[in-house]
Every structure is written in C-alpha cells, then in structure tokens.
Amino acid sequence: MLSKIFEALYRKVLVNIVVKRASTLVYIELYSKNGANDNVNAEFDTIKPDEQMLDFITTYTKESPYFYISVLDMSALQGALPTCSKNRLAYYYDLSNCEYKCYNEKWTYYTAKPELYEIEKVYKETGVDFIFSPFVVLANFFKDKTTGPLALYALVQDSFISIAVFEDGDLLYAEHLDMETSSEVDDILLSSDLEDEALDLDANTGVDLENIDVEDDVEELENFSDIEDLDSIEDIEEFADSKDVEEELLESEDVLEEADEGSFNEDYQRFSLIQTSIAHYYKDERYESRFLENMYIADAVGVSSDLKKYLEEEMFFNVYVRKTEIDAEVCELAKEELGL
C-alpha cells in the first residue's frame, strides 16, 4: 500500500532509444495517471551514448525513481518465425544461439544472443529495461490490418527493412533485411561490372588500362552483440480511425517526397531487397505461400515516390503508405508492457 502511495507521487519517465545509421533518436515521455503527460525528443549525431546524450537522458530520469529505458532492437541477426511450438521452431531456423519470445501465442521473434549482450554493454550507464523487436513494432503499428486478409507488411528504416506476411493475425513469413550488407554486395557487383567494361574497352580500343585500378572498397559490418531477454507484448490499443485516411492508396506526387539522386538509389535498393525477399517467400517450401496483392508500408524514413512506383509497376502490388514516428511507437510498447 505504501509503495503504491509513494509511486503515485511521481510521474513515470519513459526513455525510448532508436539508433539510426549515423545518429540516435531519444524520445522521452513523462507519464502521469491523471493524463498530464509531457514529451520531449532529440537527435544526437552518434550511434552510441555520448556525454551529451547521457546528460539529456539523466536530466529527466533524475526527476523520478520510476524511469524505464527502452531500445529498439537494431541487430542484424534477428527475425520472426510462423510458430510458437518449440517442436516446430527448428524446422524454420536454428535458435540455439538466440533469445526468442512468443508473440500472442501465435508466432516467435528472435535475436542472436551476442547482439543482445552488446546492447546491454552499450547502455550499461543507463541500463536497459526493454528491447523491442521491429517485428513487434510492425505488428502493433498495423494491428488494425494484420488481423484481416492476406497482405505484405514492411517497416522501413534507414538501415533495415523488416518484412512480414500476415493473414487473420497469423504470421506466415518474415525476414529482416540489412541495407548495409546489400549495399556492400552492390558495390562488389558494380566493381566487377566496371572491371569487365574496362577489359572490353581495352580489347576493343587498344587503350592500355593495365595501370588503372578499380577501387573495390567494401565496408565491414560492425560486430554487434546482445542482452539476456526480449520482452513479449500483448494486445495493444487499436489505431485511431484517422490513420485509415492516411493509408488510402496514396498518389506519390501528393504525399511522398520527391527523390534526389541519393534517395532514388536507396529506394531502388529497398525495392530490390523486398523483391528478393518475396521470391524467397514464394519459393521456400517451408512457408505457406500464396499470391500477394496488397502491401502496407510503415515509413520511418520518408521514402520517395520511386519505391511505391517500383512496387506497383514491377510487382503489381497495391501499395499503402503510413508514416510512423518509430520512437513514439516504441514508447507505446513500453506503456503496454508496464500496463499504463
């Protein structure tokens, strides 16, 4: 009883951290039972906590003994499987070196243990209470859709794309796509193509290209590692009806930003990754694959009109785009976990 009274004297401080390619978003919500909630956010030019970020966080966490640190899992080695049966999990993936959790007794999400231990290590000064899978974010964000007919869903971040196929609340297929790995492969292929072109040019024109080097510089993936546990999520509040308006079949010139050369290249890369992933879904006999017509995109980066155009014209999808503030979505998961 005394603990409840003591707890009522303080607001809860929910700190939510999302690491991007070259920066980190920190969204903080000060939660009060009487509804007097405040929030603040900032972006820092670092992918690991530095002094400035820690000062920002502690400015708010020191106001209350009830603070909670949530991190979006940005591990490269993670995914989701269409079962919660331990006897069936190994049929889809070897989870011997992974932590995994069942979502709503329907499907499983997992992350490699070293990746999770690294998150715990990186945030040792603040501690970590919750690590949320992007597949849980995706399922929560499209909760009003995933319980319906068969459709493809994607959470688009700047470094990763989380792909999932849902029907009637059941996960049929999922894949976590790494933009950086794909970029490195593209660089290798591009270098190979350039070398082939150079050889052809040398043979056809007699120009001596022997002393010209074609740079083949492939960036190494950072070796991540992890924490002990992932947190399960139960049912979360339905989206406001207003969000349905946002996801009408959007005309690209009205809603999506016009792409510069960089975003054009990135969106083509995203399209290629999605296309390859769906080919896996159709061809892999382990999965119950059927023809996909509708695709819902949770856009956390501001994709250009090109991505939608590629998916519609090349894969014949009906594409619906819904903008998301992913740091705020992580906060919603934390509140659900805490029963707020």
Short mmCIF file of all heavy atoms in Angstrom, two decimals, residues 36-73:
data_model
loop_
_atom_site.label_atom_id
_atom_site.label_comp_id
_atom_site.label_asym_id
_atom_site.label_seq_id
_atom_site.Cartn_x
_atom_site.Cartn_y
_atom_site.Cartn_z
N ALA A 36 -1.80 14.22 -17.38
CA ALA A 36 -0.93 15.39 -17.62
C ALA A 36 0.44 14.91 -18.09
O ALA A 36 1.43 14.96 -17.37
CB ALA A 36 -0.80 16.22 -16.35
N ASN A 37 0.47 14.43 -19.33
CA ASN A 37 1.70 13.86 -19.89
C ASN A 37 2.45 14.88 -20.73
O ASN A 37 1.85 15.68 -21.44
CB ASN A 37 1.38 12.63 -20.73
CG ASN A 37 0.65 11.56 -19.95
OD1 ASN A 37 0.83 11.46 -18.74
ND2 ASN A 37 -0.15 10.77 -20.62
N ASP A 38 3.74 14.85 -20.65
CA ASP A 38 4.61 15.69 -21.48
C ASP A 38 5.59 14.80 -22.22
O ASP A 38 5.89 13.68 -21.79
CB ASP A 38 5.38 16.69 -20.61
CG ASP A 38 4.46 17.67 -19.89
OD1 ASP A 38 3.57 18.23 -20.56
OD2 ASP A 38 4.63 17.86 -18.68
N ASN A 39 6.09 15.30 -23.34
CA ASN A 39 7.12 14.54 -24.05
C ASN A 39 8.14 15.49 -24.65
O ASN A 39 7.85 16.66 -24.91
CB ASN A 39 6.51 13.65 -25.13
CG ASN A 39 5.81 14.43 -26.21
OD1 ASN A 39 6.45 15.02 -27.07
ND2 ASN A 39 4.47 14.45 -26.18
N VAL A 40 9.32 14.97 -24.84
CA VAL A 40 10.41 15.74 -25.44
C VAL A 40 11.26 14.77 -26.24
O VAL A 40 11.32 13.57 -25.93
CB VAL A 40 11.25 16.44 -24.34
CG1 VAL A 40 11.90 15.41 -23.41
CG2 VAL A 40 12.30 17.36 -24.95
N ASN A 41 11.88 15.25 -27.31
CA ASN A 41 12.73 14.36 -28.10
C ASN A 41 13.94 15.12 -28.62
O ASN A 41 13.93 16.36 -28.72
CB ASN A 41 11.95 13.74 -29.26
CG ASN A 41 11.42 14.77 -30.22
OD1 ASN A 41 12.15 15.28 -31.06
ND2 ASN A 41 10.14 15.12 -30.10
N ALA A 42 14.97 14.38 -28.96
CA ALA A 42 16.19 14.97 -29.50
C ALA A 42 16.90 13.93 -30.36
O ALA A 42 16.70 12.72 -30.18
CB ALA A 42 17.11 15.45 -28.38
N GLU A 43 17.70 14.39 -31.30
CA GLU A 43 18.50 13.50 -32.14
C GLU A 43 19.97 13.85 -31.96
O GLU A 43 20.35 15.02 -31.99
CB GLU A 43 18.10 13.62 -33.60
CG GLU A 43 18.82 12.63 -34.50
CD GLU A 43 18.20 12.52 -35.88
OE1 GLU A 43 17.16 13.17 -36.13
OE2 GLU A 43 18.74 11.78 -36.72
N PHE A 44 20.80 12.83 -31.78
CA PHE A 44 22.22 13.03 -31.50
C PHE A 44 23.06 12.39 -32.61
O PHE A 44 22.73 11.31 -33.10
CB PHE A 44 22.58 12.41 -30.14
CG PHE A 44 21.81 12.99 -28.99
CD1 PHE A 44 20.60 12.44 -28.60
CD2 PHE A 44 22.27 14.12 -28.33
CE1 PHE A 44 19.86 12.98 -27.56
CE2 PHE A 44 21.54 14.67 -27.28
CZ PHE A 44 20.33 14.11 -26.89
N ASP A 45 24.13 13.06 -32.98
CA ASP A 45 24.99 12.60 -34.07
C ASP A 45 25.97 11.53 -33.60
O ASP A 45 27.19 11.66 -33.70
CB ASP A 45 25.75 13.78 -34.68
CG ASP A 45 24.83 14.78 -35.35
OD1 ASP A 45 23.78 14.35 -35.86
OD2 ASP A 45 25.15 15.98 -35.34
N THR A 46 25.42 10.47 -33.08
CA THR A 46 26.22 9.34 -32.60
C THR A 46 25.35 8.10 -32.57
O THR A 46 24.12 8.21 -32.44
CB THR A 46 26.79 9.61 -31.18
OG1 THR A 46 27.50 8.45 -30.73
CG2 THR A 46 25.66 9.92 -30.21
N ILE A 47 25.95 6.94 -32.71
CA ILE A 47 25.17 5.70 -32.63
C ILE A 47 25.37 5.01 -31.28
O ILE A 47 24.78 3.95 -31.04
CB ILE A 47 25.51 4.73 -33.78
CG1 ILE A 47 26.99 4.34 -33.75
CG2 ILE A 47 25.12 5.34 -35.11
CD1 ILE A 47 27.34 3.24 -34.74
N LYS A 48 26.18 5.60 -30.41
CA LYS A 48 26.37 5.09 -29.05
C LYS A 48 26.24 6.27 -28.08
O LYS A 48 26.53 7.40 -28.44
CB LYS A 48 27.74 4.43 -28.90
CG LYS A 48 27.89 3.14 -29.70
CD LYS A 48 29.22 2.47 -29.42
CE LYS A 48 29.34 1.16 -30.20
NZ LYS A 48 30.62 0.47 -29.93
N PRO A 49 25.78 6.00 -26.86
CA PRO A 49 25.59 7.10 -25.91
C PRO A 49 26.89 7.87 -25.68
O PRO A 49 27.92 7.29 -25.39
CB PRO A 49 25.15 6.38 -24.63
CG PRO A 49 24.59 5.08 -25.09
CD PRO A 49 25.39 4.69 -26.30
N ASP A 50 26.82 9.19 -25.86
CA ASP A 50 27.94 10.04 -25.52
C ASP A 50 27.52 10.94 -24.36
O ASP A 50 26.41 10.83 -23.82
CB ASP A 50 28.41 10.86 -26.73
CG ASP A 50 27.31 11.76 -27.30
OD1 ASP A 50 26.23 11.88 -26.66
OD2 ASP A 50 27.51 12.34 -28.38
N GLU A 51 28.40 11.82 -23.97
CA GLU A 51 28.12 12.67 -22.81
C GLU A 51 26.88 13.52 -23.00
O GLU A 51 26.06 13.67 -22.08
CB GLU A 51 29.34 13.56 -22.51
CG GLU A 51 29.20 14.39 -21.25
CD GLU A 51 30.44 15.20 -20.94
OE1 GLU A 51 31.47 15.01 -21.62
OE2 GLU A 51 30.39 16.03 -20.00
N GLN A 52 26.74 14.08 -24.18
CA GLN A 52 25.58 14.93 -24.46
C GLN A 52 24.27 14.15 -24.36
O GLN A 52 23.29 14.62 -23.77
CB GLN A 52 25.72 15.55 -25.85
CG GLN A 52 24.63 16.55 -26.18
CD GLN A 52 24.78 17.13 -27.58
OE1 GLN A 52 25.61 16.65 -28.38
NE2 GLN A 52 24.01 18.15 -27.91
N MET A 53 24.25 12.95 -24.92
CA MET A 53 23.04 12.13 -24.86
C MET A 53 22.73 11.72 -23.43
O MET A 53 21.57 11.77 -22.98
CB MET A 53 23.19 10.89 -25.74
CG MET A 53 21.90 10.08 -25.85
SD MET A 53 22.13 8.43 -26.59
CE MET A 53 22.90 8.86 -28.15
N LEU A 54 23.75 11.30 -22.70
CA LEU A 54 23.54 10.87 -21.31
C LEU A 54 23.04 12.02 -20.45
O LEU A 54 22.17 11.84 -19.59
CB LEU A 54 24.83 10.29 -20.74
CG LEU A 54 25.29 8.96 -21.35
CD1 LEU A 54 26.67 8.58 -20.84
CD2 LEU A 54 24.28 7.86 -21.04
N ASP A 55 23.57 13.22 -20.68
CA ASP A 55 23.11 14.39 -19.93
C ASP A 55 21.63 14.67 -20.22
O ASP A 55 20.86 15.00 -19.32
CB ASP A 55 23.94 15.62 -20.30
CG ASP A 55 25.33 15.58 -19.69
OD1 ASP A 55 25.55 14.75 -18.78
OD2 ASP A 55 26.19 16.36 -20.13
N PHE A 56 21.25 14.53 -21.49
CA PHE A 56 19.86 14.74 -21.88
C PHE A 56 18.94 13.74 -21.17
O PHE A 56 17.89 14.11 -20.63
CB PHE A 56 19.72 14.61 -23.39
CG PHE A 56 18.32 14.72 -23.90
CD1 PHE A 56 17.68 15.96 -23.96
CD2 PHE A 56 17.63 13.59 -24.33
CE1 PHE A 56 16.37 16.06 -24.45
CE2 PHE A 56 16.33 13.69 -24.82
CZ PHE A 56 15.70 14.93 -24.86
N ILE A 57 19.34 12.50 -21.14
CA ILE A 57 18.51 11.45 -20.53
C ILE A 57 18.42 11.64 -19.02
O ILE A 57 17.33 11.61 -18.43
CB ILE A 57 19.07 10.06 -20.87
CG1 ILE A 57 18.89 9.77 -22.36
CG2 ILE A 57 18.38 8.97 -20.03
CD1 ILE A 57 19.57 8.49 -22.83
N THR A 58 19.55 11.87 -18.36
CA THR A 58 19.55 11.98 -16.90
C THR A 58 18.85 13.24 -16.42
O THR A 58 18.37 13.28 -15.28
CB THR A 58 20.99 11.94 -16.36
OG1 THR A 58 21.78 12.97 -16.99
CG2 THR A 58 21.64 10.59 -16.61
N THR A 59 18.76 14.26 -17.26
CA THR A 59 18.01 15.46 -16.89
C THR A 59 16.58 15.09 -16.51
O THR A 59 15.98 15.69 -15.60
CB THR A 59 17.99 16.46 -18.06
OG1 THR A 59 19.32 16.90 -18.32
CG2 THR A 59 17.11 17.67 -17.73
N TYR A 60 16.03 14.08 -17.17
CA TYR A 60 14.65 13.68 -16.92
C TYR A 60 14.54 12.48 -15.98
O TYR A 60 13.62 12.42 -15.16
CB TYR A 60 13.96 13.37 -18.26
CG TYR A 60 13.87 14.60 -19.13
CD1 TYR A 60 14.84 14.88 -20.09
CD2 TYR A 60 12.83 15.52 -18.97
CE1 TYR A 60 14.78 16.02 -20.87
CE2 TYR A 60 12.76 16.66 -19.74
CZ TYR A 60 13.74 16.91 -20.69
OH TYR A 60 13.67 18.06 -21.43
N THR A 61 15.47 11.53 -16.08
CA THR A 61 15.37 10.35 -15.21
C THR A 61 15.62 10.69 -13.75
O THR A 61 15.11 10.00 -12.86
CB THR A 61 16.35 9.26 -15.66
OG1 THR A 61 17.69 9.78 -15.67
CG2 THR A 61 16.00 8.76 -17.05
N LYS A 62 16.38 11.76 -13.47
CA LYS A 62 16.65 12.10 -12.08
C LYS A 62 15.43 12.71 -11.39
O LYS A 62 15.42 12.86 -10.15
CB LYS A 62 17.84 13.06 -11.99
CG LYS A 62 17.58 14.44 -12.55
CD LYS A 62 18.84 15.30 -12.49
CE LYS A 62 18.61 16.71 -13.04
NZ LYS A 62 19.85 17.51 -13.04
N GLU A 63 14.40 13.04 -12.17
CA GLU A 63 13.20 13.62 -11.59
C GLU A 63 12.32 12.58 -10.91
O GLU A 63 11.42 12.93 -10.14
CB GLU A 63 12.38 14.33 -12.68
CG GLU A 63 13.05 15.55 -13.27
CD GLU A 63 12.17 16.23 -14.30
OE1 GLU A 63 11.00 15.80 -14.46
OE2 GLU A 63 12.64 17.17 -14.94
N SER A 64 12.55 11.30 -11.21
CA SER A 64 11.69 10.26 -10.68
C SER A 64 12.46 8.96 -10.50
O SER A 64 13.30 8.63 -11.34
CB SER A 64 10.49 10.02 -11.63
OG SER A 64 9.76 8.88 -11.22
N PRO A 65 12.16 8.21 -9.43
CA PRO A 65 12.79 6.88 -9.28
C PRO A 65 12.16 5.86 -10.22
O PRO A 65 12.68 4.75 -10.37
CB PRO A 65 12.51 6.53 -7.82
CG PRO A 65 11.26 7.28 -7.48
CD PRO A 65 11.31 8.56 -8.28
N TYR A 66 11.05 6.24 -10.86
CA TYR A 66 10.35 5.33 -11.76
C TYR A 66 10.64 5.71 -13.21
O TYR A 66 9.88 6.41 -13.86
CB TYR A 66 8.85 5.35 -11.49
CG TYR A 66 8.51 4.95 -10.08
CD1 TYR A 66 8.22 5.92 -9.12
CD2 TYR A 66 8.50 3.62 -9.68
CE1 TYR A 66 7.92 5.57 -7.82
CE2 TYR A 66 8.20 3.26 -8.38
CZ TYR A 66 7.92 4.23 -7.45
OH TYR A 66 7.63 3.88 -6.15
N PHE A 67 11.79 5.28 -13.70
CA PHE A 67 12.13 5.53 -15.10
C PHE A 67 12.48 4.21 -15.77
O PHE A 67 12.97 3.27 -15.14
CB PHE A 67 13.27 6.54 -15.24
CG PHE A 67 14.59 6.10 -14.67
CD1 PHE A 67 15.49 5.36 -15.43
CD2 PHE A 67 14.94 6.43 -13.36
CE1 PHE A 67 16.71 4.96 -14.91
CE2 PHE A 67 16.16 6.03 -12.83
CZ PHE A 67 17.03 5.29 -13.60
N TYR A 68 12.20 4.15 -17.08
CA TYR A 68 12.35 2.90 -17.83
C TYR A 68 13.02 3.21 -19.17
O TYR A 68 12.61 4.12 -19.88
CB TYR A 68 10.98 2.24 -18.05
CG TYR A 68 10.23 2.03 -16.76
CD1 TYR A 68 9.38 3.01 -16.26
CD2 TYR A 68 10.41 0.86 -16.01
CE1 TYR A 68 8.71 2.83 -15.06
CE2 TYR A 68 9.74 0.67 -14.81
CZ TYR A 68 8.89 1.66 -14.34
OH TYR A 68 8.23 1.48 -13.15
N ILE A 69 14.03 2.43 -19.49
CA ILE A 69 14.79 2.62 -20.72
C ILE A 69 14.39 1.54 -21.72
O ILE A 69 14.51 0.34 -21.46
CB ILE A 69 16.31 2.52 -20.47
CG1 ILE A 69 16.73 3.42 -19.30
CG2 ILE A 69 17.07 2.89 -21.75
CD1 ILE A 69 16.55 4.89 -19.53
N SER A 70 13.89 1.97 -22.88
CA SER A 70 13.51 1.05 -23.95
C SER A 70 14.39 1.29 -25.17
O SER A 70 14.65 2.45 -25.52
CB SER A 70 12.04 1.24 -24.33
OG SER A 70 11.20 1.02 -23.23
N VAL A 71 14.80 0.23 -25.82
CA VAL A 71 15.65 0.32 -27.01
C VAL A 71 15.03 -0.51 -28.13
O VAL A 71 14.58 -1.64 -27.90
CB VAL A 71 17.08 -0.21 -26.70
CG1 VAL A 71 17.94 -0.18 -27.96
CG2 VAL A 71 17.73 0.61 -25.59
N LEU A 72 14.99 0.06 -29.31
CA LEU A 72 14.57 -0.70 -30.48
C LEU A 72 15.73 -1.60 -30.92
O LEU A 72 16.85 -1.13 -31.10
CB LEU A 72 14.17 0.22 -31.63
CG LEU A 72 13.73 -0.47 -32.91
CD1 LEU A 72 12.45 -1.27 -32.70
CD2 LEU A 72 13.54 0.53 -34.04
N ASP A 73 15.45 -2.87 -31.06
CA ASP A 73 16.49 -3.83 -31.45
C ASP A 73 16.94 -3.56 -32.89
O ASP A 73 16.17 -3.72 -33.83
CB ASP A 73 15.92 -5.25 -31.34
CG ASP A 73 16.98 -6.32 -31.52
OD1 ASP A 73 18.14 -5.97 -31.81
OD2 ASP A 73 16.64 -7.51 -31.37
#
